[in-house]
Amino acid sequence: MDEFQKRGLIFGSSVTVTTKNIKEVASDSFIESLSNRGCKAVIFVEFVPVTEESRELAPGDAERDYLAGEIARLREQYPEMVFISFPGDEKSSGGCLAAGRGFFHINSHGGAEPCPFSPYSDVNIRDKSLKEAMHSALFTALRSGDLLADDHRGGCVLYEKRDQVEALLV
């Protein structure tokens, strides 16, 4: 961050939010430390559990409400910065933005996945264009169904409904 600031580059920060760090990462002292280094955007990404043992780290309704309130406060207090909550801001966008509704993820092997938390792919960008990948059978099925609009307990609807996502691949 210091090097970006020295070079006059605009940059942002992605912060994973857990039940253990939510108050710290939404605090004025944390945001001021980022701002003082030249950070202009902060994306708060809710922790997505990948095992049942880590589920307690995923923010629940109370934590998401707290974070939403803090982000509203931060947006007013730091108008020079952009604050995004993921997936918190998805409600105002009609649900999950995965599978080409706003973005998709490309894994290290070139597989186009709905998102990093839903590591399923039926197309590889080494063989297809990005435009073709956007119209893969998996992405099309996800966008045309109700899965992306469903509520979830915390983290990622596609992770929680992974059995249904996997079924779309057959």
Side-chain angles (χ1 to χ4, degrees), residues 108-129:
S108 61
H109 304 289
E113 302 169 338
C115 81
F117 307 118
S118 185
Y120 306 104
S121 179
D122 65 345
V123 65
N124 193 296
I125 61 161
R126 292 178 178 162
D127 306 319
K128 305 280 183 186
S129 70

Side-chain angles (χ1 to χ4, degrees), residues 142-163:
L142 286 170
R143 288 192 305 262
S144 65
D146 293 332
L147 208 68
L148 295 174
D150 284 351
D151 278 332
H152 51 85
R153 291 184 292 165
C156 174
V157 68
L158 295 178
Y159 174 78
E160 287 185 3
K161 302 196 179 230
R162 55 194 172 277
D163 293 340

Side-chain angles (χ1 to χ4, degrees), residues 15-26 44-49 54-60 62-64 66-67 86 155:
V15 178
T16 301
V17 180
T18 71
T19 55
K20 304 266 190 227
N21 73 358
I22 190 168
K23 292 194 177 188
E24 181 180 341
V25 299
F44 292 100
V45 181
E46 291 177 22
F47 176 80
V48 174
S54 63
R55 179 157 291 287
E56 80 276 354
L57 293 172
E63 290 88 4
R64 283 194 295 274
Y66 172 81
L67 184 61
F86 176 75

Side-chain angles (χ1 to χ4, degrees), residues 23-91:
K23 292 194 177 188
E24 181 180 341
V25 299
S27 71
D28 285 324
S29 62
F30 182 76
I31 299 303
E32 284 177 20
S33 72
L34 293 174
S35 179
N36 290 341
R37 287 191 163 117
C39 181
K40 295 298 182 192
V42 180
I43 302 172
F44 292 100
V45 181
E46 291 177 22
F47 176 80
V48 174
V50 293
T51 65
E52 286 304 315
E53 294 79 29
S54 63
R55 179 157 291 287
E56 80 276 354
L57 293 172
D61 290 339
E63 290 88 4
R64 283 194 295 274
D65 289 345
Y66 172 81
L67 184 61
E70 287 301 292
I71 289 174
R73 180 185 66 78
L74 293 170
R75 286 174 175 154
E76 285 196 25
Q77 192 168 337
Y78 300 90
E80 73 282 6
M81 297 176 77
V82 175
F83 297 95
I84 300 169
S85 178
F86 176 75
D89 287 334
E90 288 181 341
K91 290 225 187 248

